[in-house]
Every structure is written in structure tokens, then in C-alpha cells.
Amino acid sequence: QIRSVEGTLRKCLAKVYGDVNWKDVNMCGCSRTDKGVHARSMIAAFSYQDKPLPFRGDLQKLVYVLNRMLPFDVRVENVSLLPVDGFHPTLNAVAKTYTYTFSIGVNPNPMRWRHEW
């Protein structure tokens, strides 16, 4: 089974909501990434059966707990309430920026091998 950022986040949120089935946690991201592609500032919206946010809505605690649960290569930088009803991360996105990094030297940088072609 291929691990995904969405699946990983949904499983952690399911635990935070009280060990519910992770497939019942609704999540929608602003975009998709291909295997091996890294993303920064991915916006996602999530909910669980119209239940209130865990930790009595303490967003900083939610970020802290999620980051303690997530693997080292997935991080939550911020959590906020939806700006308006009906907000959709994909449909309301204003812009996307793609950056491609290529190694054109004879000796590629060994510290960047996962991030360059």
C-alpha cells in the first residue's frame, strides 16, 4: 500500500477524534501531488461528521498533537477555521506555483538527491 499525506493525516485525525474509522474523516486538499513530489503550503479542509474540533477548539494544541503523531516528513504548520461557509481548497485556490530543480553538474549534490532530477 502506498502511503499518502492525505491518508496519513486522516489516520492521525481519526485518533484525535477518539479512535474513529479514518475513512470517516472527510478531507479535501488544494491539489494532488505525484509519487515522490514534495509540497509546501498545501491547504486542506477536514471534518468529522459535523463534530466540533477536538481539544475544545484549541487550534495550537491540535497542531502540537498532530505533529507529535505524524511521521518526520509530514508536518502541520497551522490550523484555522474555514474563512467562509462553502470554502473549498481546490475551487477557491487563487494560484499555484511549481518549482522544478535539476542537477546539471557532473557531480550531483548528495544532500539534495531526493529533491533534484
Side-chain angles (χ1 to χ4, degrees):
Q1 183 175 353
I2 298 173
R3 183 174 70 111
S4 69
V5 172
E6 178 184 346
T8 302
L9 277 169
R10 286 173 68 192
K11 288 174 183 170
C12 289
L13 285 165
K15 289 179 184 175
V16 169
Y17 271 108
D19 234 0
V20 300
N21 186 338
W22 68 272
K23 293 179 181 178
D24 293 334
V25 175
N26 297 316
M27 180 171 283
C28 179
C30 65
S31 188
R32 293 171 20 110
T33 59
D34 295 329
K35 180 181 176 188
V37 174
H38 301 7
R40 289 188 176 147
S41 300
M42 280 291 273
I43 305 298
F46 70 88
S47 65
Y48 173 67
Q49 297 180 350
D50 296 325
K51 302 277 186 193
L53 285 171
F55 311 117
R56 297 183 182 156
D58 185 339
L59 301 179
Q60 289 182 336
K61 185 170 184 176
L62 180 58
V63 169
Y64 175 79
V65 170
L66 286 172
N67 282 328
R68 299 281 295 175
M69 297 169 70
L70 288 164
F72 76 94
D73 58 347
V74 177
R75 285 287 157 245
V76 173
E77 292 181 359
N78 190 21
V79 174
S80 61
L81 299 176
L82 290 178
V84 292
D85 285 338
F87 174 80
H88 192 281
T90 304
L91 301 177
N92 295 113
V94 177
K96 295 179 187 178
T97 302
Y98 296 89
T99 303
Y100 299 91
T101 306
F102 299 94
S103 176
I104 57 174
V106 176
N107 297 315
N109 183 338
M111 302 302 285
R112 301 207 32 93
W113 71 272
R114 295 182 124 181
H115 308 286
E116 292 180 336
W117 283 290

